[in-house]
Amino acid sequence: MSGEGSQPVAAVLLKMMDFRLGRALRAVLTAPDVPSAVRELETLAIDRLEGALVATLEDLFFVQKMLALGAGVLVAAVPTFILLALRH
């Protein structure tokens, strides 16, 4: 997956982890007190959890649409198969 102009997946994931760690570290180091630092970390964690849940829901929605499509094709094909089976 590392063609011209692209980076290996591991390198991209490492950069993302560094970015998230950097945001968390910056939030803690720039906080005026401990409760503010905890609040900032909680906010970052909630944002990350929200992103993961949205991605999961999008994946589930896609799977639901594919299953509905498959069921529709199957329901549409059943009468044809019944007619073919009854002719022979």
Side-chain angles (χ1 to χ4, degrees), residues 26-74:
R26 190 177 329 113
V28 170
L29 292 177
T30 58
D33 55 0
V34 173
S36 297
V38 170
R39 193 168 35 256
E40 286 295 320
L41 285 176
E42 287 174 345
T43 302
L44 288 173
I46 289 170
D47 289 344
R48 189 171 175 195
L49 179 62
E50 179 186 10
L53 289 175
V54 166
T56 302
L57 285 174
E58 288 173 350
D59 292 342
L60 289 174
F61 181 73
F62 177 74
V63 168
Q64 178 189 11
K65 292 298 175 187
M66 290 298 104
L67 289 174
L69 175 66
V73 169
L74 185 63

